[in-house]
Amino acid sequence: MLSIDFKNCLNFINNQELSLAVKQAKKSDEVLLSGQGEGSEFLGWLNISKIIGRENLAKLYSISKKLIKINDVVIVIGIGGSYLGARAVIEALQHKNNRIKKYPEILFAGNNVNENYLRDILEKIKNKNFSLIVISKSGTTLEPAIAFRILRRKLELKYGKRNASERIIAITDSQKGVLKQIAEKNSYETLNIPEDIGGRYSVLTNAGLLPVSVAGCDIGKLLDGSAEMQKNIDNSGKNNIVYLYASLRNLLYKKGKVIEILAAYEPSLFYFTEWWKQLYGESEGKDGKGIFPANATFTTDLHSLGQLIQEGKRNIFETVLIKEKSENKLKIPFDKENLDKLNYLGGEEIKNINRKAFLGTVKAHTEGGVPNIIIKIPELTEKYIGQLIYFFERACAISCYMLGVNPFNQPGVEAYKKNMYKLLGK
Ligand code: PA5
């Protein structure tokens, strides 16, 4: 099970404050579970066993099997919550699946409006067998719609309209939206995103699970891990890591720590931190409130953000993801000449050096006025990624209620769209 070490926050928070905040977190969770809180029409993600029915899972597996069999490349088209969850899981587990050649390469499109990016994808799929998974709950989002039109054309030119339609899977609302209409008209295979689950909470629905399955990840284990975390929270009274995390970040925010950096010592968790950034940013940032969610990969970003974290404005706290067990062994060789003076590390495993970097950084940052919440991940497997997903989703909804905002809407996202559509003459 995941665990939290919060001793590096205790210089900033006292025990009394913490136990009061944990009580508030529990109350907020009760509001969430009772369905009486704001946005309660979007609670479909709360109960893991109900997210995806057996029948649906069978359909998903059969589509996934076919996509794996016929493709070199599968392009996942989507943006925001309809993209980040899938990419987060796929990249976090790439150390396992990338070596297995039988799975298609997964590319992502429709998550920006950029001609060079799309050109690169078109270049990459030349002479490759490919299919499209297009994901949009609303079915109207501009970025994926543009990418879908371009890539659909490419697919139809390569395979003919009828065969192309067998290579397109649309994941969208079961009733409405343009994507639903296009899919019906062209007889594309479709999978639903449940009405009561918003984009950023949708990674454990078809939206996340189909791409993740095509990439070779075990979605059964992913769901089991999430269910374990749910059970742990539901059965542990007020002593659970979700209340603890929500309480710590809420207290730190009240003390002026308005920026949270989610830092990982694994480059493969970069997209996981991107997923988290969207989940917390879009859920909390409203009504003039919200912790600014930033992400970092260490040690890489210690050479870019490190200075600011250590000595800049003291308005930051860090949540650090660290894994306990390593997948690969790699040692630093001895060198007879030792011109680089690295022989003091000769024979040492890279993972041990990463560990020391982590320990040294936590100490330096905490002493420099940056509280650290450490989240320990036993290993990077489906099970623990599933636990992490549910942990952060539940903690996010609780944090929002503690802050007094609706976790499930995003009214501010419309402002740029309105201006852009006006300029585009829509
Ligand atoms: O979390 C959200 O609701 C958003 O990030 C959406 O997922 C994103 O805007 C994409 O929307 P859609 O799936 O409707 O294309």
Side-chain angles (χ1 to χ4, degrees), residues 20-263:
L20 210 74
V22 168
K23 279 187 193 141
Q24 284 164 359
K26 187 169 186 306
K27 270 201 184 127
S28 295
D29 193 34
E30 282 159 10
V31 172
L32 177 72
L33 296 173
S34 71
Q36 302 297 311
E38 265 195 288
S40 59
E41 61 277 30
F42 292 108
L43 296 184
W45 56 274
L46 250 183
N47 195 341
I48 296 296
S49 65
K50 291 198 180 142
I51 288 186
I52 197 149
R54 202 175 281 189
E55 207 177 290
N56 184 79
L57 212 51
K59 183 174 175 190
L60 187 151
Y61 277 128
S62 111
I63 296 173
S64 162
K65 216 169 141 191
K66 181 179 161 196
L67 288 176
I68 291 169
K69 196 168 165 206
I70 64 171
N71 291 298
D72 306 310
V73 173
V74 171
I75 307 175
V76 177
I77 304 172
I79 195 166
S82 288
Y83 140 77
L84 282 164
R87 190 160 195 179
V89 177
I90 292 169
E91 301 217 354
L93 298 170
Q94 66 189 352
H95 60 89
K96 285 174 65 190
N97 303 316
N98 267 7
R99 291 200 214 124
I100 308 172
K101 290 281 172 272
K102 72 174 186 190
Y103 299 110
E105 184 183 0
I106 309 290
L107 300 179
F108 295 92
N111 54 67
N112 55 47
V113 189
N114 186 274
E115 68 283 8
N116 292 334
Y117 185 87
L118 270 169
R119 275 255 160 252
D120 282 351
I121 289 184
L122 293 173
E123 200 54 43
K124 271 196 180 163
I125 56 177
K126 259 189 197 163
N127 310 319
K128 299 255 170 85
N129 279 315
F130 72 100
S131 292
L132 307 177
I133 301 177
V134 53
I135 310 168
S136 176
K137 185 168 184 211
S138 63
T140 53
T141 310
L142 184 69
E143 292 89 337
I146 292 173
F148 184 41
R149 186 184 270 212
I150 291 172
L151 291 165
R152 189 169 74 223
R153 175 70 52 86
K154 202 80 196 153
L155 199 71
E156 286 171 359
L157 285 173
K158 184 174 172 108
Y159 297 101
K161 203 166 162 68
R162 185 190 291 184
N163 288 338
S165 68
E166 290 185 6
R167 288 178 169 268
I168 298 176
I169 319 298
I171 305 182
T172 187
D173 189 272
S174 64
Q175 310 292 332
K176 53 183 191 296
V178 190
L179 181 57
K180 175 84 192 153
Q181 284 169 26
I182 302 176
E184 268 171 9
K185 178 145 194 292
N186 295 286
S187 310
Y188 301 153
E189 191 73 83
T190 56
L191 287 167
N192 297 335
I193 303 178
E195 216 181 327
D196 58 355
I197 302 184
R200 57 190 177 275
Y201 291 83
S202 72
V203 50
L204 299 175
T205 71
N206 291 312
L209 295 178
L210 181 66
V212 157
S213 165
V214 175
C217 307
D218 186 331
I219 58 176
K221 287 189 182 151
L222 192 72
L223 289 165
D224 286 350
S226 306
E228 264 172 35
M229 179 54 73
Q230 184 193 346
K231 203 167 149 204
N232 180 273
I233 301 163
D234 291 342
N235 295 338
S236 56
K238 66 179 171 51
N239 296 321
N240 70 64
I241 58 173
V242 168
Y243 295 174
L244 187 58
Y245 175 58
S247 301
L248 289 167
R249 59 196 302 285
N250 188 265
L251 281 174
L252 292 168
Y253 174 66
K254 284 185 184 153
K255 288 174 188 278
K257 306 291 186 191
V258 294
I259 298 171
E260 177 178 9
I261 299 178
L262 183 69

